[in-house]
Amino acid sequence: MANGQWFPPDWPDRIRALADGTLTPVTPKRAATVMLLKETGPGPAVHMLRRRASMAFAGGAYAYPGGGVDPRDDDHHVRWAGPSRAWWADRLRVDEKEAQATVCAAVRETYEEAGVLLAGPGADSVVGDTTGADWEADRAALVARELSFAEFLDRRGLVLRSDLLGAWTRWITPEFEPRRYDTWFFVAALPEGQRTRNASTEADRTVWIRPVEAAAAYDRGELLMMPPTIATLRQLMPCGSPAEALAAARSRDLTPVLAQARLVDGEVVLTWPGHDEFTQHVPSGTARA
């Protein structure tokens, strides 16, 4: 392959089914993912994990920590610091309940999958160490959904630091996919004193890598990635530090990116608006990845 672009092998058939009206799109689930950054000198590095090859979807592909919204993320009042829920609702163009759920999912999933917690005892502090048996027990309870994130924060006497996040972009899984997600991508800086670890059962490797290096490895076909991952890496490349990325996030356009499939001259053309590099041409009479 010319690059590390990953596409499910059943996409051509599903795209054609959508185009001829025999496929009904499923409703996308809410999700959030975080591009965690740290200073490295010549530019920030981003924390990435490699999905296990045995995974049915995107096995072997590199991604960021993230996952779906727990229904309790918006059903429970979460201890909160930083910009208000109303501010986040305006920024994300959703209601306040949805805003809390989205931000909460981003912070919770980063803790569940990378062991990094964007929370502190107060509005101007952040926890410095999340290692130890007691922390791991709480993290495991969160993963098992035995403990809500609101209950976790209450138990620890912590507040979610929403000011440590910057909303970067929003991608919605194409309509022809059987598993669909409406995913918000955020940026955040690794808090001082904390360190990442591979806490995800879905990943077999984690790395800190500069966006320019990850993108170059993708272009050489060495690192597999889905379109949103490589797209966001390229967008991060001009940022000289985590602080610059967080500053850039304030003016990012959050219009959802949704792939479009259409029939043109006997072939299916798959495009992502604003991302020409991902355009695919699928002959209408043959199946290919």
Side-chain angles (χ1 to χ4, degrees), residues 24-30 177-182:
T24 301
V26 300
T27 301
K29 297 180 179 179
R30 301 176 297 166
E177 262 288 357
R179 299 183 186 88
R180 300 189 65 212
Y181 297 93
D182 182 350

Side-chain angles (χ1 to χ4, degrees), residues 6-7 15 68 78 93 116 124 175 189 201 238 242 264 279 288:
W6 183 90
F7 289 106
I15 290 170
V78 175
R93 288 176 284 179
V116 171
D124 298 318
E175 292 182 330
T201 59
V264 179
T279 298
R288 64 179 178 86

Side-chain angles (χ1 to χ4, degrees), residues 79 111 117 119-122 127 129-139 142 147-159:
R79 293 164 60 102
Y111 181 53
L117 183 58
V127 294
D129 185 10
T130 61
T131 60
D134 59 335
W135 283 101
E136 177 56 25
D138 280 351
R139 192 198 66 79
L142 285 169
L147 183 69
S148 74
F149 198 61
E151 292 166 338
F152 166 74
L153 293 176
D154 287 342
R155 175 184 295 184
R156 291 277 174 179
L158 301 174
V159 294

Side-chain angles (χ1 to χ4, degrees), residues 1 3-11 31 33 35 48-52 55-67 113 169 171-174 176-181 183 185 202 214-215 217-219 222-235 257 259 270 272 275 277-280:
M1 62 185 171
N3 58 29
Q5 190 167 318
W6 183 90
F7 289 106
D10 63 343
W11 267 18
T33 190
M35 298 177 285
M48 304 189 75
L49 53 84
R50 184 176 65 188
R51 293 173 58 82
R52 293 185 183 277
M55 297 294 293
F57 182 78
Y62 281 77
Y64 312 113
E113 296 203 335
T169 191
W171 285 64
I172 301 176
T173 308
F176 45 81
E177 262 288 357
R179 299 183 186 88
R180 300 189 65 212
Y181 297 93
T183 305
F185 287 71
E202 298 180 354
Y218 165 90
D219 290 336
E222 297 171 0
L223 296 185
L224 286 174
M225 298 180 202
M226 292 178 283
T229 309
I230 182 59
T232 48
L233 282 171
R234 296 200 198 285
Q235 292 162 357
V257 179
L270 176 62
W272 276 260
H275 300 274
E277 73 168 295
F278 305 130
T279 298
Q280 294 282 301

Side-chain angles (χ1 to χ4, degrees), residues 16 19 262-269 281-286:
R16 286 190 287 271
R262 63 189 189 280
L263 285 171
V264 179
D265 297 330
E267 68 176 4
V268 175
V269 180
H281 295 263
V282 184
S284 61
T286 61

